[in-house]
Amino acid sequence: MAETAGQLSSALAKPVDVVGLNSDCMAARLRAQGVPAQFALDVAHLWADLATGSLAATTPEVKNLTGREPRTFAEFLAANRAAFG
């Protein structure tokens, strides 16, 4: 998330910070926003898994589904800068 925040900060020319939450705290915040308890817990566990790099592998599925090469997050930000105000 720090890398993503850094890219957003650069693209938006303003600071974007990361707030680190453990799984319990994240699930509690999601529940406080009206997310059902089990779904909040599932999201919090998935988020924790993402932090370990568990989904860092790349696959050919973007190209298989769209016929186009995938783009990086930086390329996405550059192409959609106006949408971020």
Side-chain angles (χ1 to χ4, degrees):
M1 290 299 111
E3 182 180 350
T4 299
Q7 289 182 22
L8 281 166
S9 294
S10 294
L12 303 175
K14 59 183 174 183
V16 174
D17 295 322
V18 175
V19 177
L21 301 174
N22 65 37
S23 293
D24 292 336
C25 186
M26 179 177 229
R29 286 187 180 204
L30 290 170
R31 285 192 309 273
Q33 295 175 21
V35 174
Q38 186 58 56
F39 187 68
L41 190 58
D42 291 344
V43 168
H45 285 279
L46 177 60
W47 199 254
D49 283 345
L50 288 173
T52 70
S54 66
L55 297 177
T58 58
T59 70
E61 297 313 314
V62 168
K63 185 168 185 176
N64 291 344
L65 291 169
T66 66
R68 295 184 312 236
E69 291 296 326
R71 58 184 170 177
T72 66
F73 186 57
E75 291 167 336
F76 167 82
L77 288 173
N80 294 282
R81 171 69 177 88
F84 293 98

